[in-house]
mmCIF file of all heavy atoms in Angstrom:
data_model
loop_
_atom_site.group_PDB
_atom_site.id
_atom_site.type_symbol
_atom_site.label_atom_id
_atom_site.label_comp_id
_atom_site.label_asym_id
_atom_site.label_seq_id
_atom_site.Cartn_x
_atom_site.Cartn_y
_atom_site.Cartn_z
ATOM 1 N N PRO A 371 52.019 97.784 81.992
ATOM 2 C CA PRO A 371 52.868 96.761 82.633
ATOM 3 C C PRO A 371 53.769 96.101 81.621
ATOM 4 O O PRO A 371 53.482 95.692 80.524
ATOM 5 C CB PRO A 371 51.801 95.696 83.155
ATOM 6 C CG PRO A 371 50.489 96.463 83.079
ATOM 7 C CD PRO A 371 50.543 97.590 82.133
ATOM 8 N N GLY A 372 55.094 96.016 81.980
ATOM 9 C CA GLY A 372 56.053 95.346 81.056
ATOM 10 C C GLY A 372 56.479 96.123 79.930
ATOM 11 O O GLY A 372 57.115 95.622 79.097
ATOM 12 N N ARG A 373 56.053 97.367 79.886
ATOM 13 C CA ARG A 373 56.479 98.244 78.721
ATOM 14 C C ARG A 373 57.206 99.477 79.219
ATOM 15 O O ARG A 373 56.935 99.970 80.232
ATOM 16 C CB ARG A 373 55.262 98.620 77.931
ATOM 17 C CG ARG A 373 54.721 97.511 77.148
ATOM 18 C CD ARG A 373 53.431 97.797 76.246
ATOM 19 N NE ARG A 373 53.263 96.721 75.368
ATOM 20 C CZ ARG A 373 53.525 96.927 74.018
ATOM 21 N NH1 ARG A 373 53.860 98.098 73.516
ATOM 22 N NH2 ARG A 373 53.320 95.773 73.294
ATOM 23 N N ARG A 374 58.167 100.054 78.362
ATOM 24 C CA ARG A 374 58.951 101.174 78.785
ATOM 25 C C ARG A 374 59.344 101.947 77.625
ATOM 26 O O ARG A 374 59.230 101.604 76.520
ATOM 27 C CB ARG A 374 60.201 100.670 79.611
ATOM 28 C CG ARG A 374 61.052 99.660 78.897
ATOM 29 C CD ARG A 374 62.039 99.054 79.781
ATOM 30 N NE ARG A 374 63.188 98.423 79.023
ATOM 31 C CZ ARG A 374 63.079 97.199 78.524
ATOM 32 N NH1 ARG A 374 62.078 96.466 78.682
ATOM 33 N NH2 ARG A 374 64.142 96.681 77.782
ATOM 34 N N ALA A 375 59.894 103.071 77.966
ATOM 35 C CA ALA A 375 60.279 104.053 76.891
ATOM 36 C C ALA A 375 61.304 103.455 75.979
ATOM 37 O O ALA A 375 61.240 103.772 74.678
ATOM 38 C CB ALA A 375 60.844 105.342 77.610
ATOM 39 N N GLN A 376 62.197 102.773 76.339
ATOM 40 C CA GLN A 376 63.231 102.189 75.552
ATOM 41 C C GLN A 376 62.716 101.254 74.410
ATOM 42 O O GLN A 376 63.275 101.365 73.333
ATOM 43 C CB GLN A 376 64.267 101.369 76.383
ATOM 44 C CG GLN A 376 65.110 102.182 77.367
ATOM 45 C CD GLN A 376 64.389 102.600 78.669
ATOM 46 O OE1 GLN A 376 63.242 102.203 78.896
ATOM 47 N NE2 GLN A 376 65.104 103.350 79.551
ATOM 48 N N GLN A 377 61.685 100.645 74.712
ATOM 49 C CA GLN A 377 60.994 99.828 73.665
ATOM 50 C C GLN A 377 60.476 100.701 72.474
ATOM 51 O O GLN A 377 60.480 100.319 71.317
ATOM 52 C CB GLN A 377 59.911 99.008 74.253
ATOM 53 C CG GLN A 377 60.420 97.915 75.200
ATOM 54 C CD GLN A 377 59.304 97.253 76.041
ATOM 55 O OE1 GLN A 377 58.429 97.883 76.544
ATOM 56 N NE2 GLN A 377 59.385 95.916 76.082
ATOM 57 N N ALA A 378 59.930 101.866 72.901
ATOM 58 C CA ALA A 378 59.454 102.834 71.973
ATOM 59 C C ALA A 378 60.565 103.306 71.027
ATOM 60 O O ALA A 378 60.484 103.498 69.775
ATOM 61 C CB ALA A 378 58.700 104.012 72.576
ATOM 62 N N ILE A 379 61.712 103.600 71.653
ATOM 63 C CA ILE A 379 62.893 104.084 70.893
ATOM 64 C C ILE A 379 63.399 103.013 69.950
ATOM 65 O O ILE A 379 63.711 103.210 68.760
ATOM 66 C CB ILE A 379 64.029 104.583 71.910
ATOM 67 C CG1 ILE A 379 63.564 105.639 72.727
ATOM 68 C CG2 ILE A 379 65.316 104.819 71.061
ATOM 69 C CD1 ILE A 379 63.155 106.945 72.005
ATOM 70 N N ILE A 380 63.412 101.703 70.385
ATOM 71 C CA ILE A 380 63.855 100.615 69.608
ATOM 72 C C ILE A 380 62.922 100.385 68.309
ATOM 73 O O ILE A 380 63.480 100.335 67.197
ATOM 74 C CB ILE A 380 63.970 99.240 70.372
ATOM 75 C CG1 ILE A 380 65.101 99.367 71.300
ATOM 76 C CG2 ILE A 380 64.114 98.111 69.436
ATOM 77 C CD1 ILE A 380 65.141 98.310 72.447
ATOM 78 N N LYS A 381 61.642 100.488 68.445
ATOM 79 C CA LYS A 381 60.655 100.524 67.471
ATOM 80 C C LYS A 381 60.760 101.608 66.456
ATOM 81 O O LYS A 381 60.829 101.389 65.354
ATOM 82 C CB LYS A 381 59.224 100.509 68.018
ATOM 83 C CG LYS A 381 58.123 100.355 66.996
ATOM 84 C CD LYS A 381 58.239 99.277 65.885
ATOM 85 C CE LYS A 381 58.059 97.912 66.595
ATOM 86 N NZ LYS A 381 57.951 96.858 65.539
ATOM 87 N N LEU A 382 61.004 102.797 66.982
ATOM 88 C CA LEU A 382 61.184 104.030 66.176
ATOM 89 C C LEU A 382 62.455 103.797 65.331
ATOM 90 O O LEU A 382 62.464 104.194 64.140
ATOM 91 C CB LEU A 382 61.323 105.337 67.078
ATOM 92 C CG LEU A 382 61.566 106.553 66.324
ATOM 93 C CD1 LEU A 382 60.535 106.891 65.326
ATOM 94 C CD2 LEU A 382 61.595 107.791 67.417
ATOM 95 N N LEU A 383 63.576 103.308 65.853
ATOM 96 C CA LEU A 383 64.816 103.085 64.981
ATOM 97 C C LEU A 383 64.551 102.081 63.948
ATOM 98 O O LEU A 383 65.135 102.189 62.900
ATOM 99 C CB LEU A 383 65.845 102.559 66.010
ATOM 100 C CG LEU A 383 66.625 103.667 66.916
ATOM 101 C CD1 LEU A 383 67.496 102.962 67.887
ATOM 102 C CD2 LEU A 383 67.304 104.621 66.011
ATOM 103 N N GLU A 384 63.705 101.043 64.175
ATOM 104 C CA GLU A 384 63.270 100.024 63.176
ATOM 105 C C GLU A 384 62.690 100.893 61.957
ATOM 106 O O GLU A 384 62.993 100.628 60.814
ATOM 107 C CB GLU A 384 62.277 99.105 63.640
ATOM 108 C CG GLU A 384 62.831 97.893 64.424
ATOM 109 C CD GLU A 384 61.789 97.017 64.886
ATOM 110 O OE1 GLU A 384 60.772 96.811 64.209
ATOM 111 O OE2 GLU A 384 61.923 96.378 65.998
ATOM 112 N N TYR A 385 61.692 101.722 62.361
ATOM 113 C CA TYR A 385 61.142 102.531 61.274
ATOM 114 C C TYR A 385 62.070 103.342 60.416
ATOM 115 O O TYR A 385 62.052 103.441 59.126
ATOM 116 C CB TYR A 385 60.021 103.497 61.810
ATOM 117 C CG TYR A 385 58.824 102.831 62.489
ATOM 118 C CD1 TYR A 385 58.167 103.396 63.480
ATOM 119 C CD2 TYR A 385 58.386 101.539 62.165
ATOM 120 C CE1 TYR A 385 57.030 102.917 64.126
ATOM 121 C CE2 TYR A 385 57.359 100.943 62.773
ATOM 122 C CZ TYR A 385 56.633 101.760 63.860
ATOM 123 O OH TYR A 385 55.592 101.070 64.486
ATOM 124 N N LEU A 386 62.923 104.036 61.153
ATOM 125 C CA LEU A 386 63.959 104.939 60.481
ATOM 126 C C LEU A 386 64.790 104.167 59.659
ATOM 127 O O LEU A 386 65.101 104.637 58.435
ATOM 128 C CB LEU A 386 64.775 105.672 61.548
ATOM 129 C CG LEU A 386 64.009 106.611 62.471
ATOM 130 C CD1 LEU A 386 64.988 107.379 63.473
ATOM 131 C CD2 LEU A 386 63.222 107.677 61.800
ATOM 132 N N ASN A 387 65.264 103.042 59.998
ATOM 133 C CA ASN A 387 66.206 102.227 59.241
ATOM 134 C C ASN A 387 65.415 101.454 58.109
ATOM 135 O O ASN A 387 66.228 100.907 57.205
ATOM 136 C CB ASN A 387 66.962 101.269 60.154
ATOM 137 C CG ASN A 387 68.123 101.945 60.933
ATOM 138 O OD1 ASN A 387 68.851 102.704 60.437
ATOM 139 N ND2 ASN A 387 68.091 101.721 62.301
ATOM 140 N N ASP A 388 64.253 101.404 58.185
ATOM 141 C CA ASP A 388 63.407 100.841 57.018
ATOM 142 C C ASP A 388 63.081 102.008 56.039
ATOM 143 O O ASP A 388 62.334 101.704 55.063
ATOM 144 C CB ASP A 388 62.196 100.255 57.460
ATOM 145 C CG ASP A 388 62.430 98.825 58.161
ATOM 146 O OD1 ASP A 388 63.417 98.243 57.977
ATOM 147 O OD2 ASP A 388 61.446 98.400 58.948
ATOM 148 N N GLY A 389 63.606 103.247 56.287
ATOM 149 C CA GLY A 389 63.339 104.250 55.207
ATOM 150 C C GLY A 389 62.225 105.195 55.581
ATOM 151 O O GLY A 389 61.891 106.121 54.794
ATOM 152 N N TYR A 390 61.653 105.022 56.713
ATOM 153 C CA TYR A 390 60.516 105.971 57.187
ATOM 154 C C TYR A 390 61.169 107.176 57.928
ATOM 155 O O TYR A 390 61.002 107.265 59.204
ATOM 156 C CB TYR A 390 59.449 105.217 57.987
ATOM 157 C CG TYR A 390 58.655 104.181 57.139
ATOM 158 C CD1 TYR A 390 59.249 102.893 57.064
ATOM 159 C CD2 TYR A 390 57.592 104.481 56.500
ATOM 160 C CE1 TYR A 390 58.513 101.928 56.421
ATOM 161 C CE2 TYR A 390 56.878 103.634 55.695
ATOM 162 C CZ TYR A 390 57.412 102.209 55.727
ATOM 163 O OH TYR A 390 56.708 101.247 54.992
ATOM 164 N N THR A 391 61.740 108.107 57.212
ATOM 165 C CA THR A 391 62.710 109.070 57.828
ATOM 166 C C THR A 391 62.148 110.445 57.927
ATOM 167 O O THR A 391 62.721 111.436 58.240
ATOM 168 C CB THR A 391 64.003 109.081 57.166
ATOM 169 O OG1 THR A 391 63.817 109.436 55.757
ATOM 170 C CG2 THR A 391 64.743 107.838 57.373
ATOM 171 N N TYR A 392 60.769 110.646 57.482
ATOM 172 C CA TYR A 392 60.050 111.910 57.638
ATOM 173 C C TYR A 392 59.090 111.743 58.855
ATOM 174 O O TYR A 392 58.305 110.807 58.989
ATOM 175 C CB TYR A 392 59.273 112.400 56.446
ATOM 176 C CG TYR A 392 60.187 112.734 55.336
ATOM 177 C CD1 TYR A 392 60.897 111.816 54.517
ATOM 178 C CD2 TYR A 392 60.483 114.051 55.103
ATOM 179 C CE1 TYR A 392 61.698 112.107 53.417
ATOM 180 C CE2 TYR A 392 61.363 114.566 54.090
ATOM 181 C CZ TYR A 392 61.929 113.540 53.282
ATOM 182 O OH TYR A 392 62.804 113.871 52.253
ATOM 183 N N ILE A 393 59.303 112.586 59.888
ATOM 184 C CA ILE A 393 58.583 112.405 61.122
ATOM 185 C C ILE A 393 57.597 113.428 61.344
ATOM 186 O O ILE A 393 57.740 114.682 61.240
ATOM 187 C CB ILE A 393 59.658 112.391 62.278
ATOM 188 C CG1 ILE A 393 60.558 111.339 62.188
ATOM 189 C CG2 ILE A 393 58.978 112.433 63.737
ATOM 190 C CD1 ILE A 393 61.749 111.382 62.927
ATOM 191 N N VAL A 394 56.373 113.030 61.759
ATOM 192 C CA VAL A 394 55.274 113.858 62.142
ATOM 193 C C VAL A 394 55.224 113.907 63.608
ATOM 194 O O VAL A 394 54.864 112.811 64.250
ATOM 195 C CB VAL A 394 53.906 113.426 61.439
ATOM 196 C CG1 VAL A 394 52.783 114.310 61.933
ATOM 197 C CG2 VAL A 394 54.050 113.267 60.072
ATOM 198 N N ASP A 395 55.575 114.893 64.224
ATOM 199 C CA ASP A 395 55.668 115.026 65.707
ATOM 200 C C ASP A 395 54.547 115.873 66.168
ATOM 201 O O ASP A 395 54.504 117.110 66.036
ATOM 202 C CB ASP A 395 56.965 115.653 66.009
ATOM 203 C CG ASP A 395 57.205 115.739 67.605
ATOM 204 O OD1 ASP A 395 56.450 115.154 68.318
ATOM 205 O OD2 ASP A 395 58.282 116.394 68.008
ATOM 206 N N ILE A 396 53.511 115.148 66.731
ATOM 207 C CA ILE A 396 52.245 115.885 67.135
ATOM 208 C C ILE A 396 52.279 116.181 68.660
ATOM 209 O O ILE A 396 52.447 115.205 69.487
ATOM 210 C CB ILE A 396 50.991 115.156 66.715
ATOM 211 C CG1 ILE A 396 51.001 114.918 65.255
ATOM 212 C CG2 ILE A 396 49.778 115.701 67.348
ATOM 213 C CD1 ILE A 396 49.786 114.170 64.682
ATOM 214 N N ASP A 397 52.138 117.484 69.038
ATOM 215 C CA ASP A 397 52.111 117.869 70.344
ATOM 216 C C ASP A 397 50.674 118.052 70.945
ATOM 217 O O ASP A 397 50.067 118.929 70.286
ATOM 218 C CB ASP A 397 53.017 119.051 70.666
ATOM 219 C CG ASP A 397 53.030 119.475 72.097
ATOM 220 O OD1 ASP A 397 53.908 118.973 72.764
ATOM 221 O OD2 ASP A 397 52.231 120.222 72.622
ATOM 222 N N LEU A 398 50.146 117.406 71.796
ATOM 223 C CA LEU A 398 48.834 117.571 72.357
ATOM 224 C C LEU A 398 48.937 118.544 73.455
ATOM 225 O O LEU A 398 49.608 118.447 74.392
ATOM 226 C CB LEU A 398 48.197 116.353 72.921
ATOM 227 C CG LEU A 398 47.984 115.172 71.867
ATOM 228 C CD1 LEU A 398 47.623 113.860 72.571
ATOM 229 C CD2 LEU A 398 47.067 115.516 70.762
ATOM 230 N N GLU A 399 48.136 119.678 73.173
ATOM 231 C CA GLU A 399 48.330 120.825 74.158
ATOM 232 C C GLU A 399 47.678 120.512 75.478
ATOM 233 O O GLU A 399 46.471 120.279 75.662
ATOM 234 C CB GLU A 399 47.671 122.062 73.462
ATOM 235 C CG GLU A 399 47.834 123.343 74.205
ATOM 236 C CD GLU A 399 47.386 124.496 73.440
ATOM 237 O OE1 GLU A 399 47.583 124.620 72.232
ATOM 238 O OE2 GLU A 399 46.672 125.415 74.178
ATOM 239 N N LYS A 400 48.476 120.591 76.594
ATOM 240 C CA LYS A 400 48.063 120.270 77.925
ATOM 241 C C LYS A 400 47.110 119.169 77.959
ATOM 242 O O LYS A 400 45.960 119.410 78.459
ATOM 243 C CB LYS A 400 47.408 121.595 78.516
ATOM 244 C CG LYS A 400 48.458 122.716 78.589
ATOM 245 C CD LYS A 400 47.841 124.022 79.115
ATOM 246 C CE LYS A 400 48.793 125.100 79.236
ATOM 247 N NZ LYS A 400 48.162 126.373 79.623
ATOM 248 N N PHE A 401 47.466 118.023 77.504
ATOM 249 C CA PHE A 401 46.641 116.854 77.322
ATOM 250 C C PHE A 401 45.866 116.647 78.574
ATOM 251 O O PHE A 401 44.622 116.455 78.577
ATOM 252 C CB PHE A 401 47.414 115.628 76.984
ATOM 253 C CG PHE A 401 46.661 114.370 76.997
ATOM 254 C CD1 PHE A 401 45.656 114.051 76.026
ATOM 255 C CD2 PHE A 401 46.874 113.436 78.000
ATOM 256 C CE1 PHE A 401 44.917 112.897 76.152
ATOM 257 C CE2 PHE A 401 46.148 112.336 78.106
ATOM 258 C CZ PHE A 401 45.098 111.988 77.166
ATOM 259 N N PHE A 402 46.561 116.370 79.742
ATOM 260 C CA PHE A 402 45.818 115.950 80.873
ATOM 261 C C PHE A 402 44.820 117.049 81.369
ATOM 262 O O PHE A 402 43.764 116.649 82.062
ATOM 263 C CB PHE A 402 46.869 115.644 82.052
ATOM 264 C CG PHE A 402 47.565 114.330 81.859
ATOM 265 C CD1 PHE A 402 48.759 114.359 81.212
ATOM 266 C CD2 PHE A 402 47.106 113.260 82.298
ATOM 267 C CE1 PHE A 402 49.522 113.154 80.944
ATOM 268 C CE2 PHE A 402 47.707 111.933 82.176
ATOM 269 C CZ PHE A 402 48.813 112.057 81.504
ATOM 270 N N ASP A 403 44.993 118.319 81.136
ATOM 271 C CA ASP A 403 44.143 119.357 81.467
ATOM 272 C C ASP A 403 42.974 119.437 80.636
ATOM 273 O O ASP A 403 41.913 120.048 81.010
ATOM 274 C CB ASP A 403 44.904 120.735 81.516
ATOM 275 C CG ASP A 403 45.825 120.767 82.587
ATOM 276 O OD1 ASP A 403 45.828 119.985 83.512
ATOM 277 O OD2 ASP A 403 46.928 121.625 82.430
ATOM 278 N N ASN A 404 43.065 118.984 79.373
ATOM 279 C CA ASN A 404 41.997 119.150 78.343
ATOM 280 C C ASN A 404 41.206 117.949 77.991
ATOM 281 O O ASN A 404 40.328 118.029 77.092
ATOM 282 C CB ASN A 404 42.741 119.791 77.073
ATOM 283 C CG ASN A 404 43.115 121.198 77.291
ATOM 284 O OD1 ASN A 404 42.486 122.037 78.086
ATOM 285 N ND2 ASN A 404 44.267 121.507 76.747
ATOM 286 N N VAL A 405 41.440 116.773 78.647
ATOM 287 C CA VAL A 405 40.657 115.612 78.313
ATOM 288 C C VAL A 405 39.169 115.859 78.424
ATOM 289 O O VAL A 405 38.698 116.164 79.542
ATOM 290 C CB VAL A 405 41.077 114.346 79.163
ATOM 291 C CG1 VAL A 405 40.151 113.193 78.975
ATOM 292 C CG2 VAL A 405 42.538 114.001 78.784
ATOM 293 N N PRO A 406 38.301 115.641 77.424
ATOM 294 C CA PRO A 406 36.870 115.841 77.653
ATOM 295 C C PRO A 406 36.303 114.633 78.426
ATOM 296 O O PRO A 406 36.313 113.476 78.042
ATOM 297 C CB PRO A 406 36.313 115.774 76.214
ATOM 298 C CG PRO A 406 37.459 115.817 75.282
ATOM 299 C CD PRO A 406 38.613 115.316 76.048
ATOM 300 N N GLN A 407 35.801 114.957 79.602
ATOM 301 C CA GLN A 407 35.471 113.912 80.555
ATOM 302 C C GLN A 407 34.308 112.960 80.097
ATOM 303 O O GLN A 407 34.239 111.823 80.209
ATOM 304 C CB GLN A 407 35.125 114.398 81.947
ATOM 305 C CG GLN A 407 36.248 114.993 82.686
ATOM 306 C CD GLN A 407 35.913 115.607 84.022
ATOM 307 O OE1 GLN A 407 34.815 115.542 84.472
ATOM 308 N NE2 GLN A 407 36.950 116.177 84.758
ATOM 309 N N ASP A 408 33.268 113.608 79.346
ATOM 310 C CA ASP A 408 32.193 112.909 78.936
ATOM 311 C C ASP A 408 32.600 111.938 77.843
ATOM 312 O O ASP A 408 32.174 110.677 77.851
ATOM 313 C CB ASP A 408 31.153 113.782 78.350
ATOM 314 C CG ASP A 408 30.480 114.581 79.277
ATOM 315 O OD1 ASP A 408 30.588 114.218 80.526
ATOM 316 O OD2 ASP A 408 29.738 115.604 78.926
ATOM 317 N N LYS A 409 33.525 112.198 76.887
ATOM 318 C CA LYS A 409 34.009 111.383 75.924
ATOM 319 C C LYS A 409 34.777 110.260 76.574
ATOM 320 O O LYS A 409 34.723 109.059 76.125
ATOM 321 C CB LYS A 409 34.944 112.092 74.997
ATOM 322 C CG LYS A 409 35.713 111.343 73.996
ATOM 323 C CD LYS A 409 34.779 110.772 72.901
ATOM 324 C CE LYS A 409 35.583 110.068 71.736
ATOM 325 N NZ LYS A 409 34.648 109.345 70.792
ATOM 326 N N LEU A 410 35.689 110.505 77.574
ATOM 327 C CA LEU A 410 36.495 109.627 78.273
ATOM 328 C C LEU A 410 35.613 108.564 79.045
ATOM 329 O O LEU A 410 35.922 107.356 78.882
ATOM 330 C CB LEU A 410 37.363 110.263 79.261
ATOM 331 C CG LEU A 410 38.212 109.449 80.222
ATOM 332 C CD1 LEU A 410 39.040 108.446 79.474
ATOM 333 C CD2 LEU A 410 39.010 110.238 81.232
ATOM 334 N N MET A 411 34.552 108.971 79.701
ATOM 335 C CA MET A 411 33.682 108.081 80.418
ATOM 336 C C MET A 411 32.832 107.184 79.451
ATOM 337 O O MET A 411 32.540 106.041 79.734
ATOM 338 C CB MET A 411 32.865 108.774 81.380
ATOM 339 C CG MET A 411 33.607 109.381 82.558
ATOM 340 S SD MET A 411 34.792 108.280 83.312
ATOM 341 C CE MET A 411 33.729 106.974 83.831
ATOM 342 N N TYR A 412 32.647 107.823 78.244
ATOM 343 C CA TYR A 412 31.972 106.953 77.249
ATOM 344 C C TYR A 412 32.842 105.643 76.874
ATOM 345 O O TYR A 412 32.332 104.671 76.711
ATOM 346 C CB TYR A 412 31.531 107.809 76.186
ATOM 347 C CG TYR A 412 31.165 106.959 74.894
ATOM 348 C CD1 TYR A 412 29.893 106.344 74.692
ATOM 349 C CD2 TYR A 412 32.030 106.913 73.814
ATOM 350 C CE1 TYR A 412 29.606 105.646 73.576
ATOM 351 C CE2 TYR A 412 31.782 106.139 72.653
ATOM 352 C CZ TYR A 412 30.547 105.466 72.594
ATOM 353 O OH TYR A 412 30.175 104.769 71.500
ATOM 354 N N LEU A 413 34.104 106.068 76.669
ATOM 355 C CA LEU A 413 35.128 104.994 76.255
ATOM 356 C C LEU A 413 35.228 103.986 77.371
ATOM 357 O O LEU A 413 35.302 102.768 77.166
ATOM 358 C CB LEU A 413 36.439 105.724 75.834
ATOM 359 C CG LEU A 413 36.317 106.521 74.603
ATOM 360 C CD1 LEU A 413 37.694 107.226 74.380
ATOM 361 C CD2 LEU A 413 36.017 105.755 73.411
ATOM 362 N N VAL A 414 35.331 104.488 78.673
ATOM 363 C CA VAL A 414 35.507 103.543 79.817
ATOM 364 C C VAL A 414 34.305 102.659 79.826
ATOM 365 O O VAL A 414 34.353 101.411 80.045
ATOM 366 C CB VAL A 414 35.638 104.323 81.076
ATOM 367 C CG1 VAL A 414 35.602 103.402 82.366
ATOM 368 C CG2 VAL A 414 36.930 105.156 81.062
ATOM 369 N N GLY A 415 33.071 103.229 79.564
ATOM 370 C CA GLY A 415 31.820 102.501 79.802
ATOM 371 C C GLY A 415 31.617 101.435 78.717
ATOM 372 O O GLY A 415 30.768 100.516 78.927
#
């Protein structure tokens, strides 16, 4: 609620302009298909 993609871009630009210009772009493979349900429900609980 109250958050959007543009805020993420603005924060990322802050980092870049502060000199943090090497980017680690991590791709989670088929995230929604691969979530371990037991781990997830433990966190919910």
Side-chain angles (χ1 to χ4, degrees):
R373 289 180 162 249
R374 57 190 194 277
Q376 292 80 358
Q377 292 169 314
I379 297 299
I380 290 166
K381 177 55 71 175
L382 179 55
L383 285 171
E384 278 182 35
Y385 296 153
L386 299 182
N387 286 311
D388 284 343
Y390 295 87
T391 56
Y392 288 83
I393 294 162
V394 182
D395 186 3
I396 294 177
D397 184 89
L398 297 175
E399 189 172 317
K400 297 179 180 175
F401 168 72
F402 285 91
D403 294 338
N404 289 324
V405 171
Q407 292 179 1
D408 290 345
K409 173 72 175 176
L410 172 59
M411 290 313 300
Y412 165 74
L413 295 172
V414 173

